[in-house]
Amino acid sequence: MEDENIALNSVLGLELNRVFFAVRDTANKQKIIEFARDVLQSERRKLVDSASPESPAS
């Protein structure tokens, strides 16, 4: 499963890179950067939440 996630992230990164360079307007590039940051932060929160135990061990 982790290998699939790495492959998917690589493809998404390449696609984001392609779109970023296809966009000429600086304001739109900034929106792409902000969107990518939001997605990354969301994914990091999910990873942290899934790694932390839901209830204390007894």
Side-chain angles (χ1 to χ4, degrees):
M1 184 69 162
E2 188 173 332
D3 290 339
E4 291 175 12
N5 287 337
I6 291 170
L8 180 60
N9 287 339
S10 295
V11 170
L12 290 174
L14 290 171
E15 229 8 66
L16 181 60
N17 194 39
R18 184 189 66 76
V19 169
F20 183 81
F21 285 105
V23 171
R24 301 215 184 275
D25 184 46
T26 302
N28 286 335
K29 285 186 178 188
Q30 187 60 37
K31 289 179 185 177
I32 292 169
I33 292 168
E34 290 171 7
F35 174 75
R37 283 184 181 147
D38 289 344
V39 170
L40 285 173
Q41 288 174 352
S42 173
E43 290 300 313
R44 286 181 182 143
R45 279 192 296 271
K46 287 180 189 176
L47 285 174
V48 168
D49 290 345
S50 68
S52 62
E54 292 186 19
S55 61
S58 43

